Amino acid sequence: MKNKEVKILLSAPRGFCAGVERAIEIVEKSIQKYGAPVYVRHEIVHNKFVVDDLKKKGAIFVEELDEIQDKSKPVIFSAHGVPKKIPKDAKDYNMTYIDATCPLVSKVHREAENLNRAGYHIILIGHENHPEVIGTMGQLPNGAIELIQDEMEAKNYNNKSNKKIAFVTQTTLSVDDTKDIIQILKNRFKDIHEPKKEDICYATTNRQMAVKNIAKHCDMFFIIGSKNSSNSVRLVEVAKKSGCENSRLIHSESEVPYNEIHNSNTIGISSGASAPEILVNNFIDDLRNRFTIKIDEVEIIKENVVFKIPKKLN
Ligand code: SF4
């Protein structure tokens, strides 16, 4: 098998975004400052490798604040953001909290609040039960914001409020699918208010464009990321839609189909915004042990976004 030559098109940018880097740094710095353990509400970012590594360093992950046994220790809110009620509950428990919500998610929260204040009824385009969607909807009183998940829901949507409507979106959606949903809403509601700048974040957009750019040249495409990582799952969809039907998510429990790779000449590799580069390197090392590989990194744009961590951790 080692004689088999496989060309790897390595998509760039890929992997960690600025919001994920910041969230991980917040947990690490909190452990340094307050001592272990620190609590983290929900997976800080959707990646098992990252979560396991932080557990080893002294983080305890919980889903809700009432699970926290020692409330004298600080709690960190994950990068996906939380409903307004959560910091309030932490205050009521007298807990120290540190908010690792990505600034680009917080931006959508503020947008939704401002639109609500300006008298709009708000549509959130996103996926039900994703923590980011729960967090964004939880910025406003019940009924002030409604979820639309796909084109069908956009076609069937009726504004039952007596207000003008506006929309915001989850940050990690498919750029192309979201455009189609927005177009349906715009056709149906001519004066719908839209965000000045897209809510889908730079990292999601760049990773999707980079995959789209190379997918048609690949026989197989592998996205490294966790099953519950929205942006990783979207990358698989983008690769499929852009010409590589045989595209898969490689997560911690996945079996890599090496026998299928044996029948491929060119494979694409990318990784979601919460997947560390070491997982990509490990995968490439595995391929190197089995095949003669040639790597061609195809970068469509350089990223230099950095988000500051909260002052109290400096
Ligand atoms: S994917 Fe985008 S919104 Fe989510 S943490 Fe990264 S930069 Fe922030």
Side-chain angles (χ1 to χ4, degrees):
M1 221 144 80
K2 183 78 177 148
N3 292 335
K4 163 76 184 171
E5 256 188 47
V6 178
K7 180 171 175 184
I8 296 174
L9 292 181
L10 193 53
S11 185
R14 66 181 171 277
F16 277 4
C17 60
V20 163
E21 302 250 19
R22 173 178 179 271
I24 295 170
E25 193 183 347
I26 286 176
V27 179
E28 290 174 341
K29 288 254 163 80
S30 298
I31 295 169
Q32 279 167 23
K33 176 164 179 178
Y34 300 100
V38 300
Y39 290 90
V40 185
R41 186 187 175 277
H42 194 71
E43 290 190 343
I44 185 75
V45 301
H46 284 158
N47 188 273
K48 192 176 179 308
F49 184 92
V50 171
V51 167
D52 287 347
D53 184 54
L54 291 173
K55 276 184 190 166
K56 278 183 219 141
K57 291 176 177 163
I60 297 177
F61 290 83
V62 295
E63 283 307 309
E64 294 302 341
L65 300 185
D66 57 16
E67 293 166 45
I68 296 174
Q69 281 167 7
D70 181 359
K71 294 202 170 53
S72 69
K73 300 300 288 186
V75 60
I76 299 160
F77 304 146
S78 79
H80 315 97
V82 290
K84 264 206 170 5
K85 182 182 178 307
I86 303 300
K88 186 182 166 302
D89 287 351
K91 271 187 205 150
D92 290 346
Y93 280 128
N94 227 350
M95 291 188 74
T96 301
Y97 66 84
I98 303 138
D99 191 358
T101 303
C102 175
L104 299 181
V105 174
S106 300
K107 184 194 101 182
V108 179
H109 290 181
R110 298 295 76 80
E111 236 168 58
E113 277 192 312
N114 290 339
L115 288 165
N116 178 252
R117 227 173 279 130
Y120 285 95
H121 182 67
I122 298 157
I123 292 172
L124 168 64
I125 303 171
H127 296 294
E128 196 170 19
N129 294 331
H130 188 279
E132 184 186 325
V133 164
I134 295 169
T136 302
M137 295 190 84
Q139 300 304 304
L140 300 182
N142 271 346
I145 182 163
E146 282 182 275
L147 184 65
I148 283 188
Q149 301 193 72
D150 54 30
E151 289 185 32
M152 191 54 80
E153 291 186 6
K155 280 180 192 152
N156 293 331
Y157 176 74
N158 284 317
N159 177 17
K160 295 200 190 81
S161 75
N162 52 7
K163 296 176 169 180
K164 304 168 283 180
I165 50 172
F167 71 85
V168 294
T169 84
Q170 194 179 332
T171 56
T172 50
L173 298 178
S174 151
V175 173
D176 291 339
D177 292 354
T178 308
K179 257 189 209 136
D180 294 341
I181 295 172
I182 290 172
Q183 198 50 55
I184 292 169
L185 290 173
K186 281 180 162 178
N187 291 344
R188 296 194 55 221
F189 305 98
K190 299 289 177 217
D191 56 355
I192 190 168
H193 183 284
E194 63 181 316
K196 277 199 197 75
K197 198 175 166 290
E198 261 211 277
D199 293 328
I200 296 178
C201 76
Y202 79 96
T204 298
T205 307
N206 291 346
R207 279 149 194 69
Q208 287 179 16
M209 295 309 133
V211 165
K212 205 170 173 180
N213 181 42
I214 54 177
K216 57 184 171 298
H217 306 297
C218 300
D219 306 312
M220 293 188 85
F221 213 114
F222 294 97
I223 307 295
I224 318 287
S226 289
K227 276 185 277 190
N228 57 346
S229 158
S230 169
N231 76 85
S232 304
V233 174
R234 301 288 88 74
L235 287 177
V236 177
E237 292 168 1
V238 168
K240 285 186 178 177
K241 276 196 186 163
S242 310
C244 186
E245 191 44 47
N246 198 355
S247 299
R248 326 211 171 164
L249 188 67
I250 300 279
H251 50 84
S252 50
E253 293 90 15
S254 298
E255 299 225 337
V256 180
Y258 290 110
N259 52 340
E260 281 186 57
I261 297 176
H262 190 67
N263 298 324
S264 306
N265 294 320
T266 304
I267 65 168
I269 300 178
S270 182
S271 51
S274 45
E277 186 66 5
I278 186 170
L279 299 180
V280 174
N281 290 336
N282 290 349
F283 181 45
I284 291 175
D285 285 346
D286 272 354
L287 292 169
R288 191 176 282 116
N289 288 336
R290 293 173 158 87
F291 308 102
T292 302
I293 60 171
K294 182 174 172 287
I295 303 174
D296 185 3
E297 182 163 43
V298 187
E299 184 176 58
I300 58 153
I301 190 169
K302 284 234 180 295
E303 288 180 346
N304 50 14
V305 181
V306 179
F307 295 133
K308 286 192 190 126
I309 61 165
K311 279 202 190 84
K312 63 175 153 191
L313 293 177
N314 280 327

PDB file of all heavy atoms in Angstrom, residues 149-172:
ATOM      1  N   GLN A 149     -35.382  27.612  10.431  1.00  0.00           N
ATOM      2  CA  GLN A 149     -34.232  26.714  10.255  1.00  0.00           C
ATOM      3  C   GLN A 149     -33.886  26.422   8.807  1.00  0.00           C
ATOM      4  O   GLN A 149     -32.766  26.024   8.504  1.00  0.00           O
ATOM      5  CB  GLN A 149     -34.518  25.383  10.945  1.00  0.00           C
ATOM      6  CG  GLN A 149     -34.786  25.531  12.421  1.00  0.00           C
ATOM      7  CD  GLN A 149     -34.741  24.199  13.113  1.00  0.00           C
ATOM      8  OE1 GLN A 149     -33.662  23.633  13.283  1.00  0.00           O
ATOM      9  NE2 GLN A 149     -35.876  23.666  13.485  1.00  0.00           N
ATOM     10  N   ASP A 150     -34.871  26.548   7.918  1.00  0.00           N
ATOM     11  CA  ASP A 150     -34.579  26.167   6.528  1.00  0.00           C
ATOM     12  C   ASP A 150     -35.508  26.902   5.555  1.00  0.00           C
ATOM     13  O   ASP A 150     -36.361  27.694   5.969  1.00  0.00           O
ATOM     14  CB  ASP A 150     -34.689  24.648   6.358  1.00  0.00           C
ATOM     15  CG  ASP A 150     -36.041  24.112   6.840  1.00  0.00           C
ATOM     16  OD1 ASP A 150     -37.040  24.854   6.751  1.00  0.00           O
ATOM     17  OD2 ASP A 150     -36.088  22.961   7.299  1.00  0.00           O
ATOM     18  N   GLU A 151     -35.332  26.593   4.272  1.00  0.00           N
ATOM     19  CA  GLU A 151     -36.113  27.290   3.238  1.00  0.00           C
ATOM     20  C   GLU A 151     -37.613  27.070   3.423  1.00  0.00           C
ATOM     21  O   GLU A 151     -38.409  27.983   3.241  1.00  0.00           O
ATOM     22  CB  GLU A 151     -35.692  26.790   1.854  1.00  0.00           C
ATOM     23  CG  GLU A 151     -34.310  27.264   1.468  1.00  0.00           C
ATOM     24  CD  GLU A 151     -33.953  26.868   0.049  1.00  0.00           C
ATOM     25  OE1 GLU A 151     -34.840  26.799  -0.808  1.00  0.00           O
ATOM     26  OE2 GLU A 151     -32.756  26.615  -0.181  1.00  0.00           O
ATOM     27  N   MET A 152     -37.982  25.833   3.767  1.00  0.00           N
ATOM     28  CA  MET A 152     -39.399  25.510   3.930  1.00  0.00           C
ATOM     29  C   MET A 152     -40.019  26.374   5.020  1.00  0.00           C
ATOM     30  O   MET A 152     -41.105  26.937   4.848  1.00  0.00           O
ATOM     31  CB  MET A 152     -39.521  24.010   4.266  1.00  0.00           C
ATOM     32  CG  MET A 152     -40.929  23.467   4.214  1.00  0.00           C
ATOM     33  SD  MET A 152     -41.736  23.804   2.653  1.00  0.00           S
ATOM     34  CE  MET A 152     -41.017  22.508   1.651  1.00  0.00           C
ATOM     35  N   GLU A 153     -39.310  26.497   6.114  1.00  0.00           N
ATOM     36  CA  GLU A 153     -39.839  27.317   7.209  1.00  0.00           C
ATOM     37  C   GLU A 153     -39.913  28.785   6.800  1.00  0.00           C
ATOM     38  O   GLU A 153     -40.818  29.502   7.223  1.00  0.00           O
ATOM     39  CB  GLU A 153     -38.990  27.129   8.485  1.00  0.00           C
ATOM     40  CG  GLU A 153     -39.167  25.739   9.081  1.00  0.00           C
ATOM     41  CD  GLU A 153     -38.473  25.534  10.420  1.00  0.00           C
ATOM     42  OE1 GLU A 153     -37.919  26.498  10.996  1.00  0.00           O
ATOM     43  OE2 GLU A 153     -38.474  24.371  10.884  1.00  0.00           O
ATOM     44  N   ALA A 154     -38.961  29.223   5.977  1.00  0.00           N
ATOM     45  CA  ALA A 154     -39.002  30.618   5.498  1.00  0.00           C
ATOM     46  C   ALA A 154     -40.218  30.832   4.586  1.00  0.00           C
ATOM     47  O   ALA A 154     -40.880  31.868   4.634  1.00  0.00           O
ATOM     48  CB  ALA A 154     -37.709  30.958   4.754  1.00  0.00           C
ATOM     49  N   LYS A 155     -40.519  29.820   3.778  1.00  0.00           N
ATOM     50  CA  LYS A 155     -41.667  29.918   2.855  1.00  0.00           C
ATOM     51  C   LYS A 155     -42.989  29.951   3.627  1.00  0.00           C
ATOM     52  O   LYS A 155     -43.944  30.574   3.209  1.00  0.00           O
ATOM     53  CB  LYS A 155     -41.678  28.719   1.899  1.00  0.00           C
ATOM     54  CG  LYS A 155     -40.704  28.894   0.755  1.00  0.00           C
ATOM     55  CD  LYS A 155     -40.730  27.693  -0.171  1.00  0.00           C
ATOM     56  CE  LYS A 155     -39.537  27.769  -1.111  1.00  0.00           C
ATOM     57  NZ  LYS A 155     -39.092  26.470  -1.568  1.00  0.00           N
ATOM     58  N   ASN A 156     -43.026  29.220   4.737  1.00  0.00           N
ATOM     59  CA  ASN A 156     -44.283  29.102   5.488  1.00  0.00           C
ATOM     60  C   ASN A 156     -44.423  30.109   6.622  1.00  0.00           C
ATOM     61  O   ASN A 156     -45.438  30.132   7.304  1.00  0.00           O
ATOM     62  CB  ASN A 156     -44.400  27.689   6.093  1.00  0.00           C
ATOM     63  CG  ASN A 156     -44.552  26.658   4.989  1.00  0.00           C
ATOM     64  OD1 ASN A 156     -45.088  26.962   3.927  1.00  0.00           O
ATOM     65  ND2 ASN A 156     -44.048  25.461   5.223  1.00  0.00           N
ATOM     66  N   TYR A 157     -43.383  30.919   6.809  1.00  0.00           N
ATOM     67  CA  TYR A 157     -43.409  31.802   7.975  1.00  0.00           C
ATOM     68  C   TYR A 157     -44.512  32.862   7.866  1.00  0.00           C
ATOM     69  O   TYR A 157     -44.685  33.490   6.818  1.00  0.00           O
ATOM     70  CB  TYR A 157     -42.050  32.503   8.153  1.00  0.00           C
ATOM     71  CG  TYR A 157     -42.066  33.492   9.278  1.00  0.00           C
ATOM     72  CD1 TYR A 157     -42.050  33.059  10.601  1.00  0.00           C
ATOM     73  CD2 TYR A 157     -42.155  34.863   9.030  1.00  0.00           C
ATOM     74  CE1 TYR A 157     -42.117  33.963  11.648  1.00  0.00           C
ATOM     75  CE2 TYR A 157     -42.218  35.772  10.062  1.00  0.00           C
ATOM     76  CZ  TYR A 157     -42.197  35.311  11.373  1.00  0.00           C
ATOM     77  OH  TYR A 157     -42.273  36.213  12.405  1.00  0.00           O
ATOM     78  N   ASN A 158     -45.259  33.056   8.949  1.00  0.00           N
ATOM     79  CA  ASN A 158     -46.230  34.152   9.025  1.00  0.00           C
ATOM     80  C   ASN A 158     -45.880  35.030  10.202  1.00  0.00           C
ATOM     81  O   ASN A 158     -45.651  34.520  11.296  1.00  0.00           O
ATOM     82  CB  ASN A 158     -47.644  33.593   9.258  1.00  0.00           C
ATOM     83  CG  ASN A 158     -48.183  33.006   7.978  1.00  0.00           C
ATOM     84  OD1 ASN A 158     -48.040  33.592   6.905  1.00  0.00           O
ATOM     85  ND2 ASN A 158     -48.781  31.826   8.095  1.00  0.00           N
ATOM     86  N   ASN A 159     -45.838  36.311   9.948  1.00  0.00           N
ATOM     87  CA  ASN A 159     -45.565  37.237  11.042  1.00  0.00           C
ATOM     88  C   ASN A 159     -46.873  37.495  11.791  1.00  0.00           C
ATOM     89  O   ASN A 159     -47.711  38.254  11.325  1.00  0.00           O
ATOM     90  CB  ASN A 159     -44.971  38.534  10.468  1.00  0.00           C
ATOM     91  CG  ASN A 159     -44.743  39.567  11.547  1.00  0.00           C
ATOM     92  OD1 ASN A 159     -44.732  39.251  12.734  1.00  0.00           O
ATOM     93  ND2 ASN A 159     -44.559  40.816  11.118  1.00  0.00           N
ATOM     94  N   LYS A 160     -46.981  36.859  12.924  1.00  0.00           N
ATOM     95  CA  LYS A 160     -48.233  37.006  13.682  1.00  0.00           C
ATOM     96  C   LYS A 160     -48.186  38.214  14.619  1.00  0.00           C
ATOM     97  O   LYS A 160     -49.193  38.568  15.219  1.00  0.00           O
ATOM     98  CB  LYS A 160     -48.509  35.727  14.493  1.00  0.00           C
ATOM     99  CG  LYS A 160     -48.779  34.516  13.602  1.00  0.00           C
ATOM    100  CD  LYS A 160     -49.506  33.413  14.378  1.00  0.00           C
ATOM    101  CE  LYS A 160     -49.561  32.130  13.582  1.00  0.00           C
ATOM    102  NZ  LYS A 160     -48.292  31.344  13.656  1.00  0.00           N
ATOM    103  N   SER A 161     -47.002  38.809  14.730  1.00  0.00           N
ATOM    104  CA  SER A 161     -46.921  39.995  15.596  1.00  0.00           C
ATOM    105  C   SER A 161     -47.447  41.183  14.793  1.00  0.00           C
ATOM    106  O   SER A 161     -47.579  41.103  13.574  1.00  0.00           O
ATOM    107  CB  SER A 161     -45.465  40.254  15.993  1.00  0.00           C
ATOM    108  OG  SER A 161     -44.771  40.815  14.899  1.00  0.00           O
ATOM    109  N   ASN A 162     -47.681  42.283  15.474  1.00  0.00           N
ATOM    110  CA  ASN A 162     -48.107  43.468  14.720  1.00  0.00           C
ATOM    111  C   ASN A 162     -46.928  44.411  14.481  1.00  0.00           C
ATOM    112  O   ASN A 162     -47.086  45.590  14.259  1.00  0.00           O
ATOM    113  CB  ASN A 162     -49.266  44.186  15.437  1.00  0.00           C
ATOM    114  CG  ASN A 162     -48.888  44.441  16.891  1.00  0.00           C
ATOM    115  OD1 ASN A 162     -47.733  44.192  17.277  1.00  0.00           O
ATOM    116  ND2 ASN A 162     -49.825  44.933  17.680  1.00  0.00           N
ATOM    117  N   LYS A 163     -45.708  43.823  14.532  1.00  0.00           N
ATOM    118  CA  LYS A 163     -44.501  44.644  14.390  1.00  0.00           C
ATOM    119  C   LYS A 163     -43.838  44.405  13.033  1.00  0.00           C
ATOM    120  O   LYS A 163     -44.100  43.392  12.383  1.00  0.00           O
ATOM    121  CB  LYS A 163     -43.506  44.265  15.480  1.00  0.00           C
ATOM    122  CG  LYS A 163     -44.002  44.560  16.882  1.00  0.00           C
ATOM    123  CD  LYS A 163     -42.977  44.048  17.864  1.00  0.00           C
ATOM    124  CE  LYS A 163     -43.288  44.549  19.264  1.00  0.00           C
ATOM    125  NZ  LYS A 163     -42.298  44.044  20.199  1.00  0.00           N
ATOM    126  N   LYS A 164     -42.944  45.323  12.662  1.00  0.00           N
ATOM    127  CA  LYS A 164     -42.092  45.098  11.478  1.00  0.00           C
ATOM    128  C   LYS A 164     -41.136  43.954  11.836  1.00  0.00           C
ATOM    129  O   LYS A 164     -40.848  43.740  13.012  1.00  0.00           O
ATOM    130  CB  LYS A 164     -41.228  46.329  11.180  1.00  0.00           C
ATOM    131  CG  LYS A 164     -41.995  47.611  10.998  1.00  0.00           C
ATOM    132  CD  LYS A 164     -41.053  48.800  10.991  1.00  0.00           C
ATOM    133  CE  LYS A 164     -40.578  49.181  12.392  1.00  0.00           C
ATOM    134  NZ  LYS A 164     -39.684  50.303  12.504  1.00  0.00           N
ATOM    135  N   ILE A 165     -40.598  43.270  10.810  1.00  0.00           N
ATOM    136  CA  ILE A 165     -39.684  42.176  11.161  1.00  0.00           C
ATOM    137  C   ILE A 165     -38.243  42.453  10.726  1.00  0.00           C
ATOM    138  O   ILE A 165     -37.983  43.191   9.774  1.00  0.00           O
ATOM    139  CB  ILE A 165     -40.134  40.799  10.615  1.00  0.00           C
ATOM    140  CG1 ILE A 165     -40.461  40.864   9.130  1.00  0.00           C
ATOM    141  CG2 ILE A 165     -41.266  40.220  11.409  1.00  0.00           C
ATOM    142  CD1 ILE A 165     -40.721  39.481   8.545  1.00  0.00           C
ATOM    143  N   ALA A 166     -37.334  41.841  11.446  1.00  0.00           N
ATOM    144  CA  ALA A 166     -35.894  41.928  11.158  1.00  0.00           C
ATOM    145  C   ALA A 166     -35.335  40.527  11.355  1.00  0.00           C
ATOM    146  O   ALA A 166     -35.943  39.705  12.038  1.00  0.00           O
ATOM    147  CB  ALA A 166     -35.245  42.883  12.144  1.00  0.00           C
ATOM    148  N   PHE A 167     -34.191  40.262  10.720  1.00  0.00           N
ATOM    149  CA  PHE A 167     -33.586  38.951  10.987  1.00  0.00           C
ATOM    150  C   PHE A 167     -32.136  39.084  11.419  1.00  0.00           C
ATOM    151  O   PHE A 167     -31.458  40.061  11.091  1.00  0.00           O
ATOM    152  CB  PHE A 167     -33.700  38.015   9.763  1.00  0.00           C
ATOM    153  CG  PHE A 167     -32.815  38.399   8.611  1.00  0.00           C
ATOM    154  CD1 PHE A 167     -31.484  37.992   8.554  1.00  0.00           C
ATOM    155  CD2 PHE A 167     -33.293  39.174   7.564  1.00  0.00           C
ATOM    156  CE1 PHE A 167     -30.658  38.342   7.498  1.00  0.00           C
ATOM    157  CE2 PHE A 167     -32.483  39.533   6.506  1.00  0.00           C
ATOM    158  CZ  PHE A 167     -31.162  39.119   6.472  1.00  0.00           C
ATOM    159  N   VAL A 168     -31.701  38.100  12.190  1.00  0.00           N
ATOM    160  CA  VAL A 168     -30.286  37.915  12.518  1.00  0.00           C
ATOM    161  C   VAL A 168     -30.000  36.428  12.271  1.00  0.00           C
ATOM    162  O   VAL A 168     -30.940  35.653  12.068  1.00  0.00           O
ATOM    163  CB  VAL A 168     -29.966  38.296  13.993  1.00  0.00           C
ATOM    164  CG1 VAL A 168     -30.166  39.765  14.247  1.00  0.00           C
ATOM    165  CG2 VAL A 168     -30.799  37.466  14.973  1.00  0.00           C
ATOM    166  N   THR A 169     -28.739  36.035  12.267  1.00  0.00           N
ATOM    167  CA  THR A 169     -28.444  34.617  12.015  1.00  0.00           C
ATOM    168  C   THR A 169     -27.437  34.063  13.034  1.00  0.00           C
ATOM    169  O   THR A 169     -26.688  34.825  13.654  1.00  0.00           O
ATOM    170  CB  THR A 169     -27.882  34.335  10.591  1.00  0.00           C
ATOM    171  OG1 THR A 169     -26.468  34.568  10.595  1.00  0.00           O
ATOM    172  CG2 THR A 169     -28.545  35.177   9.516  1.00  0.00           C
ATOM    173  N   GLN A 170     -27.436  32.759  13.137  1.00  0.00           N
ATOM    174  CA  GLN A 170     -26.384  32.047  13.866  1.00  0.00           C
ATOM    175  C   GLN A 170     -25.072  32.333  13.136  1.00  0.00           C
ATOM    176  O   GLN A 170     -25.071  32.561  11.913  1.00  0.00           O
ATOM    177  CB  GLN A 170     -26.741  30.549  13.822  1.00  0.00           C
ATOM    178  CG  GLN A 170     -25.970  29.680  14.777  1.00  0.00           C
ATOM    179  CD  GLN A 170     -26.417  28.214  14.684  1.00  0.00           C
ATOM    180  OE1 GLN A 170     -27.567  27.918  14.336  1.00  0.00           O
ATOM    181  NE2 GLN A 170     -25.518  27.307  14.994  1.00  0.00           N
ATOM    182  N   THR A 171     -23.939  32.290  13.839  1.00  0.00           N
ATOM    183  CA  THR A 171     -22.665  32.672  13.209  1.00  0.00           C
ATOM    184  C   THR A 171     -22.027  31.558  12.376  1.00  0.00           C
ATOM    185  O   THR A 171     -21.122  31.814  11.595  1.00  0.00           O
ATOM    186  CB  THR A 171     -21.637  33.065  14.294  1.00  0.00           C
ATOM    187  OG1 THR A 171     -21.502  31.962  15.195  1.00  0.00           O
ATOM    188  CG2 THR A 171     -22.063  34.310  15.047  1.00  0.00           C
ATOM    189  N   THR A 172     -22.486  30.313  12.568  1.00  0.00           N
ATOM    190  CA  THR A 172     -21.758  29.186  11.966  1.00  0.00           C
ATOM    191  C   THR A 172     -22.575  28.439  10.901  1.00  0.00           C
ATOM    192  O   THR A 172     -22.379  27.244  10.699  1.00  0.00           O
ATOM    193  CB  THR A 172     -21.333  28.179  13.066  1.00  0.00           C
ATOM    194  OG1 THR A 172     -22.483  27.878  13.853  1.00  0.00           O
ATOM    195  CG2 THR A 172     -20.256  28.747  13.955  1.00  0.00           C
TER     196      THR A 172
END
